[in-house]
Amino acid sequence: MALYSRVSGSVGMITLQNPPVNALSAAVRQGIVDMMHRALSEPEVKSVVICGQNGKFCGGADIREFGAKMTGPPLVPMVHLIEAASKPVVAAIEGIALGGGLELALSCHYRIAHSKARLGFPEVALGLLPGAGGTQRLPRLIGVPAALDLITTGRHVTAAEARQLGIVDEVTDLNAVDAAVKFAQSVTGKSLDARRISTYPCPRPPDLDAIFERAMQQVRRSARGAIAPGTCVQAVHAAVTLPYAKGMERERELFSLLFTSGQARALQYYFFAQRAVSRWSTANGARWDTSKPRPVRKAAVIGLGTMGRGITVSLAQAGFSVVAVETQEKQLSEAKQAVSGMLERGAKRRGVPLAHDKIKYSCSVQAVADVDLVIEAVFEDMALKKTVFQQLSAICKPGVLLCTNTSGLDIDELASQTQSPELVVGMHFFAPAHVMQLLEVVYGPRSSPEVVATAMQMGKKMGKVSVAVGNCRGFVGNRMLKPYLEQAFFLLEEGATPEQVDQVLEEFGFAMGVFKVSDLSGLDVGWKVRKADGLVSPASTGTSARIRGGSRYSPLGDLLCERGRFGQKTGRGWYQYDKPGGRVAKPDPWLHGFLEEYRAQHGLVARHIDHQEVLERCLYALINEGFQILQDGIAAGPEDIDVIYVLGYGWPRHRGGPMFYAGQVGLDKVVERLEHYQQIHPDVPGLQPCSLLRKLAASGNPAIHKWREVIQKPRSQL
Ligand SMILES: C[C@H](O)[C@H](C)C(=O)SCCNC(=O)CCNC(=O)[C@H](O)C(C)(C)COP(=O)([O-])OP(=O)([O-])OC[C@H]1O[C@@H](n2cnc3c(N)ncnc32)[C@H](O)[C@@H]1OP(=O)([O-])[O-]
């Protein structure tokens, strides 16, 4: 709703009230319209100020209403009412003016912003475009190039940049509402003709076509199949080529096209999913709202390889004092240099003070005796990690939290090396750890609620999105990656090429296909895990070479590693690179020859494999494992899995995530296709639909937010 009051005698104050961000719900819109009519009808009122409660102007349209039938006054007539007002209307912008909130402000005749306010059109991140005149008013106010930048990127601008762009008229460090009231009194009685943005001609810079061509190329390059960015360009183009009213019609057409698209639904689902994972719970009863985190002032990182260095930087940038330990002298000095460089680049990029002084380096584990929390990031070897945990348990002060950055080893086995297994938890960062937003917080059966809460809070303080997951081989992300990679290998055996498989996945929206990612992260990483799992065996030909534990197995990755083809780092992998460390993947004739030889050796006949089969086998195998993870209670809900895959594994955000995508395809369709492939490949258990998936499909494809009810049923009923 919206409140009305009279201030300073002649100023009508309209205050938006819809916590937490004063979103433009039906009730708020109704309130604004009613209060505007009231202010315009009261003769004592000479001007109007619109502001938001709790120091926030407006977070835009109420996304929670998108799934329901529209009620209340529509946005466009509301902004027209304000712009057409006969009395000056001033927007007092505190905190945020985003999306429909900025459109509301642009319909006002003046905008006063607090210096800490942020403004922007983030609709594109929700698969939409500014649909209440933003695409028509912004280019008229600030010009086409700047408007295209803000609307196609969705980036937030500071009040200072908004002033420089001409979006706001004044920026104040004082109370923006008081400043707006003073300003409103100062413009009372002045003509408003020159303040109605929709009446402005839209600037036509000489190289207009080139500007739009460049913008369209830019969005095509970065969109990876998302349709909203390109549609935003079309809407701004209408502002230049059409009169305002016609431009608004075009904006409405393009908005409804996006609003009803699957991508918008996926992006809105993801918006709430990323917020839902912060309301975490564990299988052993710990919860976000009942488990209290412990204070952590000083942390330590053991092992300063690639991951250890990134974690150290991320901790220091978050303001923690850090003890960084590397027992190898040479590695320690190299790490110091690398960390300093990362801190300097980060400080420059984010305009924040350097955090060098936060870090103390040591080559002795003894140095961590008085810290509150330790993150172990040594080589991914269980025996080595066990030794480190035994040392830490002996050295550290009582009550210290011992965390491991392992990407898939048994947390509970490590906990058994300590006197306090309840103080052990996994904090699985993703490379580069100071950049990637995702953190898998892995709780073991003995991890105490406090420890989980502390690790989750640490992640948030480090600017990460923390997702709580249970302890199992590979946790959630890497566990689902296994059947995905497995299918990709099998497709090569049956006639596909790495280029073909990667092209299908990149057209789906992944930044990189599975084989390019494998070359980037190094084929030897997976090889070591398969060796540890006892999967790598000498036998290279005949049936046994391709069977493990009664199931189909492809030794292709092992054979490449045996030939030293570890990917980018060796200049050869599934692709060839111009030199070791090269980044540009080129198809490798040697590999095609090797695949033909391999098929001949194993009596395999290459066949044509179409786009759909590649997509279905890779994605449905991954999705099926996701349902198995939900069934096992390793992840609390589909949102947890989807956030992990979007933030950690490059799953295209405009596809919502693997679980949301399965719902969009139709769970019955996923079951039917898995069964189809399982019939052809009976020796691949990963194609056998898991019972939770079958159950949900059989109960009529319930909406994803209803899955938890089924998941929470006792396992026996699944
Ligand atoms: C026609 C018109 O052109 C079109 C059609 C539109 O206008 S489309 C809409 C365009 N607007 C947006 O895209 C802004 C989206 N929001 C944000 O970017 C951020 O929220 C934030 C504003 C920068 C605050 O960040 P935060 O980190 O401080 O807190 P939070 O945890 O994110 O958010 C705090 C709580 O507020 C909820 N929330 C935030 N914005 C909301 C919104 N627009 N509608 C409904 N709920 C919203 C959010 O779900 C969470 O709820 P809960 O989880 O606590 O229950």
Side-chain angles (χ1 to χ4, degrees):
M1 58 180 284
L3 306 173
Y4 183 76
S5 55
R6 182 95 65 75
V7 293
S8 308
S10 66
V11 177
M13 177 76 75
I14 299 175
T15 306
L16 281 54
Q17 187 191 46
N18 181 16
V21 297
N22 298 323
L24 296 166
S25 63
V28 170
R29 298 193 307 272
Q30 189 63 62
I32 293 172
V33 169
D34 296 349
M35 299 315 158
M36 272 303 297
H37 284 306
R38 179 167 172 188
L40 294 176
S41 64
E42 291 180 350
E44 307 78 15
V45 172
K46 306 299 182 204
S47 59
V48 181
V49 167
I50 300 181
C51 65
Q53 217 175 33
N54 312 329
K56 287 193 175 79
F57 180 68
C58 178
D62 196 322
I63 309 169
R64 294 166 292 196
E65 292 186 345
F66 285 3
K69 188 172 162 318
M70 167 96 172
T71 58
L75 266 172
V76 171
M78 182 191 85
V79 294
H80 284 161
L81 168 69
I82 294 166
E83 189 183 64
S86 56
K87 301 175 181 179
V89 183
V90 180
I93 301 172
E94 292 176 302
I96 46 167
L98 300 173
L102 181 53
E103 288 168 310
L104 170 63
L106 291 181
S107 72
C108 298
H109 307 115
Y110 301 93
R111 286 154 292 282
I112 310 299
H114 185 273
S115 53
K116 287 210 172 53
R118 289 179 296 146
L119 303 84
F121 281 129
E123 283 88 341
V124 70
L126 294 169
L128 300 171
L129 54 78
T135 67
Q136 304 306 300
R137 283 192 174 79
L138 194 66
R140 283 175 163 78
L141 183 65
I142 69 174
V144 170
L148 278 170
D149 165 39
L150 263 62
I151 293 173
T152 58
T153 62
R155 72 182 178 88
H156 299 180
V157 295
T158 61
E161 186 181 354
R163 178 80 190 88
Q164 185 241 330
L165 287 168
I167 297 174
V168 300
D169 302 287
E170 221 175 79
V171 173
T172 176
D173 292 325
L174 307 172
N175 176 298
V177 178
D178 297 347
V181 169
K182 281 205 191 67
F183 190 94
Q185 291 174 304
S186 72
V187 295
T188 296
K190 284 202 179 152
S191 161
L192 296 173
D193 295 346
R195 302 302 304 179
R196 298 191 170 95
I197 301 172
S198 65
T199 64
Y200 296 4
C202 191
R204 297 178 65 88
D207 54 348
L208 196 62
D209 296 345
I211 289 170
F212 277 101
E213 190 42 45
R214 261 200 314 277
M216 203 48 106
Q217 280 167 3
Q218 168 58 36
V219 295
R220 280 209 195 99
R221 259 198 310 278
S222 56
R224 293 183 11 226
I227 57 176
T231 313
C232 287
V233 176
Q234 293 175 50
V236 174
H237 190 263
V240 181
T241 53
L242 299 170
Y244 174 74
K246 283 270 177 255
M248 284 299 287
E249 279 171 30
R250 184 75 180 124
E251 179 190 275
R252 198 173 30 258
E253 280 163 20
L254 294 169
F255 181 85
S256 353
L257 180 133
L258 291 177
F259 192 78
T260 52
S261 72
Q263 292 193 4
R265 278 197 295 284
L267 286 160
Q268 284 143 36
Y269 157 80
Y270 185 79
F271 174 85
F272 289 115
Q274 189 163 313
R275 282 147 186 83
V277 296
S278 62
R279 292 188 282 276
W280 56 274
S281 60
T282 67
N284 52 13
R287 286 175 51 86
W288 66 284
D289 51 356
T290 54
S291 310
K292 292 281 164 278
R294 289 237 193 117
V296 174
R297 199 182 40 72
K298 196 172 180 184
V301 178
I302 309 293
L304 298 181
T306 311
M307 292 306 291
R309 295 169 190 182
I311 297 168
T312 301
V313 167
S314 192
L315 283 167
Q317 287 173 336
F320 292 98
S321 307
V322 188
V323 179
V325 177
E326 173 54 62
T327 50
Q328 317 295 322
E329 274 296 339
K330 183 167 167 301
Q331 269 258 37
L332 183 63
S333 61
E334 285 168 5
K336 271 188 189 165
Q337 261 187 335
V339 167
S340 308
M342 290 148 88
L343 284 172
E344 275 145 28
R345 288 190 295 280
K348 214 184 273 119
R349 205 180 28 256
R350 299 172 331 142
V352 295
L354 266 176
H356 281 315
D357 57 350
K358 289 277 178 203
I359 306 172
K360 299 241 173 328
Y361 295 93
S362 171
C363 53
S364 159
V365 180
Q366 293 294 337
V368 308
D370 69 340
V371 302
D372 307 309
L373 178 144
V374 181
I375 302 176
E376 164 277 311
V378 301
F379 204 55
E380 189 76 347
D381 175 79
M382 184 52 108
L384 174 61
K385 287 183 186 290
K386 281 183 172 177
T387 311
V388 172
F389 269 70
Q390 290 155 6
Q391 280 179 318
L392 291 172
S393 187
I395 290 166
C396 292
K397 70 180 181 186
V400 69
L401 278 66
L402 298 181
C403 312
T404 171
N405 177 54
T406 177
S407 60
L409 297 175
D410 185 340
I411 304 292
D412 205 44
E413 195 175 337
L414 289 172
S416 311
Q417 310 309 309
T418 71
Q419 287 128 26
S420 315
E422 77 285 359
L423 297 177
V424 174
V425 73
M427 289 182 78
H428 178 208
F429 292 84
F430 288 75
H434 64 300
V435 176
M436 291 290 276
Q437 243 199 318
L438 179 65
L439 174 68
E440 271 186 328
V441 171
V442 188
Y443 59 86
R446 294 178 285 178
S447 303
S448 72
E450 261 181 322
V451 166
V452 180
T454 308
M456 291 294 285
Q457 189 190 56
M458 283 286 286
K460 189 156 187 180
K461 287 187 177 160
M462 295 165 81
K464 308 293 181 194
V465 175
S466 306
V467 183
V469 300
N471 180 36
C472 66
R473 187 86 173 104
F475 314 139
V476 169
N478 290 341
R479 178 174 159 181
M480 290 168 70
L481 203 61
K482 191 162 171 289
Y484 171 73
L485 201 56
E486 201 178 59
Q487 285 301 320
F489 282 12
F490 295 161
L491 288 161
L492 293 190
E493 291 188 338
E494 296 161 34
T497 63
E499 303 83 56
Q500 182 203 357
V501 173
D502 281 357
Q503 188 197 345
V504 170
L505 296 170
E506 287 161 18
E507 281 167 8
F508 178 79
F510 282 96
M512 288 173 107
V514 61
F515 291 108
K516 285 197 189 109
V517 171
S518 175
D519 274 359
L520 173 69
S521 49
L523 279 71
D524 51 328
V525 177
W527 195 31
K528 230 164 50 30
V529 175
R530 292 191 297 275
K531 277 185 181 164
D533 291 348
L535 291 171
V536 178
S537 79
S540 65
T541 60
T543 326
S544 63
R546 298 178 46 248
I547 293 291
R548 297 287 183 283
S551 303
R552 181 176 172 184
Y553 176 81
S554 171
L556 276 172
D558 308 336
L559 294 169
L560 261 64
C561 288
E562 283 159 17
R563 289 164 175 72
R565 297 178 69 100
F566 296 157
Q568 288 186 0
K569 63 179 105 177
T570 56
R572 293 276 182 282
W574 298 106
Y575 293 88
Q576 59 177 334
Y577 301 82
D578 54 6
K579 62 182 184 329
R583 294 251 176 275
V584 183
K586 288 199 283 299
D588 188 340
W590 176 89
L591 187 97
H592 297 161
F594 165 77
L595 286 174
E596 277 155 27
E597 245 175 64
Y598 172 91
R599 295 184 193 117
Q601 263 170 358
H602 295 277
L604 298 163
V605 179
R607 63 182 173 82
H608 169 69
I609 298 174
D610 67 15
H611 178 119
Q612 202 52 25
E613 178 173 354
V614 170
L615 205 60
E616 290 181 340
R617 284 176 60 179
C618 290
L619 301 189
Y620 293 175
L622 176 143
I623 285 166
N624 190 34
E625 189 65 28
F627 280 101
Q628 191 62 52
I629 282 171
L630 291 174
Q631 186 169 322
D632 299 347
I634 296 295
E639 298 85 353
D640 302 272
I641 295 177
D642 288 339
V643 168
I644 286 171
Y645 257 75
V646 167
L647 293 181
Y649 296 81
W651 182 281
R653 195 181 291 241
H654 63 265
R655 302 266 189 189
M659 308 319 281
F660 180 87
Y661 175 69
Q664 268 194 330
V665 169
L667 302 181
D668 52 348
K669 168 98 184 293
V670 174
V671 169
E672 182 261 322
R673 296 308 292 162
L674 280 168
E675 286 172 340
H676 164 75
Y677 293 119
Q678 225 259 327
Q679 253 156 22
I680 303 167
H681 307 284
D683 54 355
V684 182
L687 292 172
Q688 174 73 258
C690 82
S691 50
L692 173 63
L693 171 55
R694 284 186 187 286
K695 173 132 182 132
L696 285 165
S699 54
N701 280 325
I704 194 165
H705 62 270
K706 291 236 171 57
W707 293 3
R708 279 178 191 254
E709 291 151 32
V710 179
I711 295 164
Q712 267 133 23
K713 281 217 178 62
R715 306 251 175 286
S716 59
Q717 290 183 7
L718 286 174

